[in-house]
């Protein structure tokens, strides 16, 4: 077999992921620490960048005000949360949001310079900051990317994905990376942070960036790191439904903030229906709205419902939601005149690598942050816009922990990689897993469907494990199969309905 070179790098801190969870953590780590950020895609191609609605958080630290945010998060989470983690999330919000403002994030303000706030499902009040109207993630990320690229202590390696952690004597010492051209790089570090993002690629339809194959979760699982809550997958209720079937790939979100500003949901017969399901109507928590839409779709024999924002008018809609307005226009819809077809699709993986209040996982020297982690703040159903907040609050806490530790001489060693390349395309396997997940492990779940799904997924998973190849295509597929298996097993084990996990038998 042809010899391949394996690059070997060392750092004090290895951050795996270039979204908000990774970059904000990096910006809070002391400058005397050498940091390597490895990102599977060029910086800017992440779920954080796509975030529309905003970032939840109270700048007013009055106890009563904070108690309401805690209460809303607890209600949405349906009992399966970690209350201490939620308290930290809410109490640490203002300090971290102020840091984003100080770093230069241009949150939207009124004529007097006062921050504008919006509302989304499950929030009892307006407490969501936004930027560029509906381009909050883009504005936050562009600010942070600009700053991180100028940091002397930070090296950024783009287009490299994590395929396995480096583990010795029950400690993590970094990660094994593979580039999109199948080049290898082992990064050894005192501290490793998983910030690898979401799992959208496990489903046929998702709002996620294409790279969301759950790499951090799958690699952690292979190393025996504790995971939690994998059955809880959040389906966003209002994702643009392309009635022409021509738009391929990543799905486009009609932000919950559109409902927050007063839009309604109608079934295909033009009837407003949310009053049948929840007194909070269109602003009920996301699990309830998605499940109600599914019921309406079933009862009206339709693949979508409508969002009706016509009464909000062209001027307001095009200014407050410029990205959404433009996207709808490109598909031939005028928001001020037309009903927009929408349906639920995969949006956010709530479960993941279990962390404590300092972001530490069950493996020494390994931390996790953002969508790949389970901090306990989202319970069985994430409250809208709490996820960007989780990235900054826990990012800061992880940075604080790492800053307390003195730098040591970083060990590195040779790691054998079996250079077995093959030219097989794993695409058909990924397609079958995605179709299976979208059919049987979607919003409404039952035992028979879950068992069937697990049989199909396990057949692929076992075959992939039996015939390993060190290529990006292989690991992408193995990771999708691994995450699909973990979600389906957890969904089968949880027999009761709770939050976004709805079991009909
Ligand atoms: C949205 O804008 O509707 C998405 C917000 C979120 O997922 O938290």
């Amino acid at each position: 077999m042809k010899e391949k070179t394996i690059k070997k790098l060392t750092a004090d801190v290895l951050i795996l992921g270039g979204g908000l969870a990774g970059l904000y953590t990096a910006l809070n780590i002391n400058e005397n620490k050498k940091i390597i950020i490895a990102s599977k895609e060029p910086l800017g191609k992440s779920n954080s960048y796509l975030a529309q609605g905003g970032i939840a958080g109270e700048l007013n630290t009055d106890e009563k005000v904070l108690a309401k945010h805690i209460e809303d998060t607890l209600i949405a989470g349906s009992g399966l949360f970690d209350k201490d983690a939620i308290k930290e999330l809410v109490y640490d919000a203002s300090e971290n949001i102020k840091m984003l403002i100080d770093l230069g994030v241009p949150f939207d303000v009124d004529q007097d310079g006062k921050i504008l706030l919006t509302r989304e499902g499950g929030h009892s009040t307006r407490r969501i900051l936004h930027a560029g109207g509906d381009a909050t993630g883009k504005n936050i990320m562009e600010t942070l990317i600009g700053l991180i690229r100028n940091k002397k202590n930070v090296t950024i390696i783009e287009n490299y994905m994590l395929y396995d952690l480096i583990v010795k004597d029950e400690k993590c010492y970094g990660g094994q990376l593979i580039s999109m051209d199948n080049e290898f790089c082992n990064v050894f570090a005192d501290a490793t942070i998983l910030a690898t993002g979401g799992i959208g690629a496990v489903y046929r339809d998702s709002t996620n960036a294409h790279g969301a194959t759950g790499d951090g979760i799958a690699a952690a699982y292979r190393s025996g790191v504790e995971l939690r809550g994998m059955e809880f997958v959040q389906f966003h209720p209002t994702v643009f439904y392309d009635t022409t079937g021509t738009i391929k790939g990543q799905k486009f979100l009609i932000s919950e903030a559109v409902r927050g500003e007063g839009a309604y949901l109608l079934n295909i017969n033009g009837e407003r229906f949310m009053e049948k399901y929840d007194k909070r109507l269109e602003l009920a928590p996301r699990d309830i709205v998605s499940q109600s839409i599914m019921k309406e779709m079933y009862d009206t024999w339709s693949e979508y419902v409508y969002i009706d924002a016509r009464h909000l008018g062209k001027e307001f809609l095009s200014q407050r939601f410029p990205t959404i307005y433009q996207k709808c226009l490109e598909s031939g819809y005028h928001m001020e005149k037309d009903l927009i077809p929408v349906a639920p699709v995969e949006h956010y993986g709530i479960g993941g690598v279990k962390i404590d209040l300092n972001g530490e996982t069950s493996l020494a020297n390994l931390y996790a942050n953002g969508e790949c982690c389970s901090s306990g703040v989202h319970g069985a159903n994430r409250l809208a816009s709490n996820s960007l907040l989780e990235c900054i609050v826990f990012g800061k806490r992880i940075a604080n922990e790492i800053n307390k530790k003195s730098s040591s001489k970083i060990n590195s060693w040779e790691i054998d990689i079996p250079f077995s390349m093959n030219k097989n395309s794993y695409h058909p396997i990924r397609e079958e897993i995605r179709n299976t997940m979208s059919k049987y492990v979607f919003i409404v779940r039952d035992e028979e469907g879950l068992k069937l799904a697990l049989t199909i997924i396990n057949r692929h998973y076992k075959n992939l494990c039996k015939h390993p190849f060190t290529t990006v295509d292989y690991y992408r597929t193995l990771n999708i199969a691994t995450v699909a298996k973990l979600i389906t097993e957890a969904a089968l084990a949880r027999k009761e309905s709770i939050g976004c996990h709805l079991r009909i038998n």
Side-chain angles (χ1 to χ4, degrees):
M1 192 146 307
K2 200 166 149 260
E3 278 286 297
K4 264 236 172 211
T5 25
I6 309 171
K7 252 196 270 169
K8 198 160 68 167
L9 301 174
T10 56
D12 295 304
V13 185
L14 168 63
I15 299 181
L16 296 152
L20 181 61
L23 299 200
Y24 188 79
T25 310
L27 287 168
N28 279 283
I29 292 174
N30 292 344
E31 291 191 345
N32 62 358
K33 302 228 184 249
K34 184 179 161 198
I35 301 173
I36 292 180
I37 299 177
S39 166
K40 184 176 180 180
E41 308 261 0
L43 293 191
K45 279 202 164 182
S46 61
N47 282 347
S48 309
Y49 196 93
L50 297 171
Q52 292 180 350
I55 179 162
E58 296 290 358
L59 295 175
N60 176 351
T61 53
D62 180 276
E63 280 295 328
K64 281 201 192 116
V65 172
L66 297 181
K68 286 301 285 176
H69 189 183
I70 292 174
E71 192 186 326
D72 291 347
T73 306
L74 293 173
I75 292 171
S78 316
L80 278 189
F81 37 71
D82 176 335
K83 196 165 178 188
D84 291 335
I86 292 176
K87 280 189 184 156
E88 302 301 342
L89 179 84
V90 169
Y91 284 126
D92 289 1
S94 80
E95 170 197 344
N96 286 291
I97 291 175
K98 280 180 188 150
M99 176 163 174
L100 285 182
I101 296 170
D102 292 343
L103 291 175
V105 176
F107 286 113
D108 293 334
V109 291
D110 67 12
Q111 285 145 340
D112 303 321
K114 198 162 163 269
I115 296 229
L116 288 166
L117 299 171
T118 192
R119 226 184 128 181
E120 291 181 56
H123 288 274
S124 56
T125 183
R126 286 181 175 260
R127 64 164 76 90
I128 298 165
L129 294 86
H130 47 87
D134 54 6
T136 310
K138 177 173 184 284
N139 280 278
I140 295 178
M141 291 311 293
E142 283 180 354
T143 308
L144 267 50
I145 290 168
L147 294 166
I148 210 84
R149 288 211 190 275
N150 285 319
K151 282 269 187 186
K152 292 221 166 32
N153 61 323
V154 176
T155 305
I156 300 162
I157 318 178
E158 284 160 299
N159 302 315
Y160 272 81
M161 78 177 264
L162 167 76
Y163 70 92
D164 263 324
L165 294 167
I166 301 174
V167 181
K168 198 165 132 180
D169 303 331
E170 297 179 11
K171 286 197 181 100
C172 183
Y173 287 96
Q176 296 179 261
L177 314 181
I178 184 168
S179 78
M180 297 303 121
D181 306 322
N182 297 315
E183 299 293 330
F184 297 91
C185 179
N186 292 335
V187 183
F188 292 82
D190 276 346
T192 301
I193 304 167
L194 292 173
T196 47
I199 55 137
V202 167
Y203 283 87
R204 190 185 52 223
D205 299 316
S206 170
T207 59
N208 286 190
H210 290 294
T213 52
D215 303 331
I217 296 174
Y221 174 72
R222 288 194 279 278
S223 291
V225 181
E226 194 177 343
L227 307 177
R228 172 170 64 183
M230 289 300 294
E231 64 273 40
F232 299 111
V233 177
Q234 188 168 67
F235 300 90
H236 197 291
T238 54
V239 178
F240 180 75
Y241 181 88
D242 170 29
T243 51
T244 66
T246 52
I247 306 176
K248 299 283 171 238
Q250 186 189 317
K251 301 293 173 211
F252 182 70
L253 195 62
I254 309 289
S255 173
E256 213 160 280
V258 177
R259 279 175 281 132
E261 298 294 350
Y264 313 132
L265 291 171
L266 305 179
N267 65 21
I268 49 151
N269 300 324
E271 296 150 352
R272 199 169 165 190
F273 56 82
M274 275 310 296
E275 63 259 32
K276 282 195 268 178
Y277 301 100
D278 196 286
K279 63 177 187 318
R280 291 162 289 185
L281 306 173
E282 281 83 358
L283 288 182
R286 203 169 276 181
D287 54 340
I288 294 169
V289 181
S290 287
Q291 289 161 12
S292 308
I293 290 177
M294 288 302 285
K295 176 82 171 57
E296 287 298 308
M297 282 163 47
Y298 184 81
D299 287 350
T300 58
W301 201 251
S302 169
E303 290 188 346
Y304 55 86
V305 297
Y306 291 116
I307 189 157
D308 182 1
R310 294 173 298 183
H311 52 290
L312 300 178
K314 180 173 178 180
E315 195 184 335
F316 175 78
L317 288 166
S318 58
Q319 282 175 18
R320 175 67 183 82
F321 301 109
T323 320
I324 297 170
Y325 189 85
Q326 187 54 34
K327 273 278 189 185
C328 287
L329 216 50
E330 282 165 22
S331 293
Y333 293 89
H334 295 80
M335 288 180 85
E336 73 280 12
K337 284 199 295 213
D338 300 318
L339 297 176
I340 314 295
V342 289
V345 308
E346 195 284 340
H347 180 59
Y348 190 90
I350 290 175
V353 180
K354 187 176 173 205
I355 58 166
D356 66 13
L357 295 181
N358 296 319
E360 285 176 303
T361 71
S362 64
L363 180 63
N365 302 344
L366 180 70
Y367 301 80
N369 188 22
E371 192 171 343
C372 73
C373 86
S374 167
S375 65
V377 300
H378 303 313
N381 174 50
R382 177 178 66 96
L383 185 66
S385 288
N386 263 356
S387 45
L388 293 185
L389 180 61
E390 179 190 40
C391 290
I392 60 172
V393 165
F394 283 84
K396 174 81 176 168
R397 298 177 82 85
I398 291 171
N400 288 346
E401 277 307 294
I402 289 174
N403 289 339
K404 278 187 220 156
K405 297 185 179 160
S406 53
S407 297
S408 66
K409 181 168 172 338
I410 299 141
N411 289 318
S412 70
W413 57 88
E414 301 305 322
I415 301 176
D416 274 347
I417 299 171
F419 294 119
S420 38
M421 313 289 275
N422 70 351
K423 292 211 166 22
N424 293 350
S425 166
Y426 292 95
H427 186 71
I429 298 178
R430 294 199 291 270
E431 285 293 287
E432 187 172 16
I433 293 175
R434 286 174 178 146
N435 288 335
T436 302
M437 292 297 286
S438 298
K439 191 161 176 191
Y440 300 113
V441 199
F442 196 54
I443 297 178
V444 183
R445 302 167 173 184
D446 64 43
E447 179 153 333
E448 199 185 334
L450 291 170
K451 280 188 171 157
L452 181 58
L454 195 56
T455 306
I456 297 168
I457 294 160
N458 262 336
R459 178 163 46 84
H460 290 304
Y461 175 74
K462 285 180 184 158
N463 254 334
L464 288 161
C465 293
K466 213 154 76 189
H467 306 288
F469 289 96
T470 21
T471 64
V472 168
D473 200 34
Y474 170 82
Y475 274 102
R476 228 182 234 149
T477 314
L478 178 65
N479 291 349
I480 285 177
T482 307
V483 173
K485 169 180 121 74
L486 292 167
I487 293 171
T488 310
E489 281 172 350
L492 253 174
R494 187 172 293 282
K495 301 219 178 293
E496 83 280 18
S497 292
I498 179 163
C500 55
H501 174 65
L502 176 62
R503 282 283 302 256
I504 52 169
N505 64 52

